[in-house]
Amino acid sequence: MKILKNIGKLLSLSLTLTLVACVDYNDESRLIDVKIQVAAPSEYKAGATPGKQLVTLKRGNVSRTATTNEDGLVVFEACAPDVYDVSVAWTLSSTEYYEKTGINDPDHAYIVTASLNEQSITEKYEETPLQLTPAMAEGSPLVISKIYCAGSKPYPQYGTKNYLVGKYFEIYNQTDEAIDITGMYIGLLDSTNPQPWTLENLVADATIQGSAVVVKQVFRIPTDKTYKLEGGKSIVLTNSAIDHSYVSDYEQNLSDADFEREGYNDKMEHNPNVPKLEMVYTASSGLTSMNLSQSGPCGIIIFRTNDDVTTWPKTYGYGKVSGTQTYLLVPNNVIKDGVDYLQYDANTSSGADIATKRLYSSIDAGCTHISAKSGYTGETVYRKTLSIASGGRKILMDTNNSSNDFQVSTTIKVREYDDAE
C-alpha cells in the first residue's frame, strides 16, 4: 500500500470520525471544518468499504494529511475557505484486490486514485462532505521514475552560460523479474508556450474527444538485439552520454547511460559505446534530439504497440488546420505510464501552471514541477520510495498522481532512490 508520510496530529471525534487541524493562514474568513468522503471504487463488491486511507489537502506549498475512518470519511478542522488540491491514493495487492472485489487476479497489483485540482472549499462542506470518487487501474511494471531537465549554472571557470546538455530521465522496473524493453516507445509532450493541446482542448476537440494524447516527438528503444531491464533497476536515457559532473554540483556522470539520442548536427558530445535511440517522429525537422524543456512543460509517456506509429493520425495545434508543426496522436490504450511535468507557477495552489496540464487522470491525475519558472536550478524530480521488497529491491510510489508520487532534489544521483521512510 502506498502510504504518504508525516501525518499531522489526529484528533478523535464521536462516530469514529477523524479531525485534523489545518494550518492557520490568518484568513479573515471564518475558519471551517471540512468534511471529505472517499467513496469505494465501483469495482468493489457490495458492502466493501474504502478502508482507512490517507487524504491530502494542499494549499499553496503547505499540505495537511489525515486518515479516514473505515467508511472513508475524514474531517479537516479549522480550514480557511480557499482553493485547495485534494487527493487520495492507495494500492491493492492481488490478495487485497480479491478481498475487495471477489475477483482472483494473482498476477497484478492495482492503483486506486482520486484527485480534485484547484477545488473551492467553502462553508457548504461543513455539512455536506466533499466527494472523492476513486478510479482503479492496473499498476504498471515499468514507470518513468526520474526526470532531470532543469539544467544548471556552471562553475565560474566554465563560463556564464547555463548548462543544458546533461539532461536525462530514467525508467524503472518495479517487479522482481527482467522485462523485455526492446522496441518500447517514449513520447515527449509538447513544450511550446502557450500550450497547443491542453487537457481541456483534448477533451473538447471533436475528433480526439479525450481518446488520445498529443506528442511532439516519439523515440524507440532499438530493435537490433534484445534489451532487458532487470527487476528493481532503471535505465538512463539522455542526449549526451558523457561525464557532465565536472561542470557543476548538479550535473551527473552519464557515461554509463543505457541509451543515447544522437540528433542531426546537434553539436553535443556523444558516446560511441552507448546504443542510440531511434527517432520515430518529430513535430519539426529541426528537432532531432530529445526536446526536454528546462523550465517545463516537459511531460513523458511510455507505450507499446505493434502498429506502424508513423501512420497514426496527426494534427496541428488546437483549432488550427495548418501550421509549421504537426503533432502525433497516441491512443490512450497503448500508454503504460506518463508523467505531466509542468512549469512552476507560484500563483497556483499546486505550485504549477495546472492550466497547461496535458495528461488525463487515468494516466497522471496530478503533475510534478521544479521550484523556478525559468529552470537552471539543478533540480531533479523523482519518485518516492514506497517500500523495500525482499532482496533490497525498492518499490517506488505509483499512484498515477505525480503530485503524490514525486519529490524534488538537487543531490539525488543517477540510478539512486531514497530508502523508504
Side-chain angles (χ1 to χ4, degrees), residues 135-156:
M136 185 183 295
E138 183 181 316
S140 173
L142 294 177
V143 293
I144 300 157
S145 54
K146 187 183 297 177
I147 304 173
Y148 173 69
C149 62
S152 65
K153 298 183 182 300
Y155 296 129

Side-chain angles (χ1 to χ4, degrees), residues 39-46 101 133-136:
S42 59
E43 293 86 351
Y44 278 22
K45 60 187 178 182
T101 67
T133 304
M136 185 183 295

Side-chain angles (χ1 to χ4, degrees), residues 83-97:
V83 175
Y84 293 81
D85 291 340
V86 188
S87 62
V88 66
W90 68 94
T91 58
L92 296 171
S93 66
S94 57
T95 300
E96 292 167 325
Y97 181 75

Side-chain angles (χ1 to χ4, degrees), residues 148 162-163 241 332:
Y148 173 69
N162 294 310
Y163 192 78
N332 293 344

Side-chain angles (χ1 to χ4, degrees), residues 245-258:
S245 63
Y246 69 92
V247 176
S248 80
D249 289 340
Y250 308 112
E251 300 299 329
Q252 304 289 315
N253 183 353
L254 302 179
S255 58
D256 68 342
D258 297 275

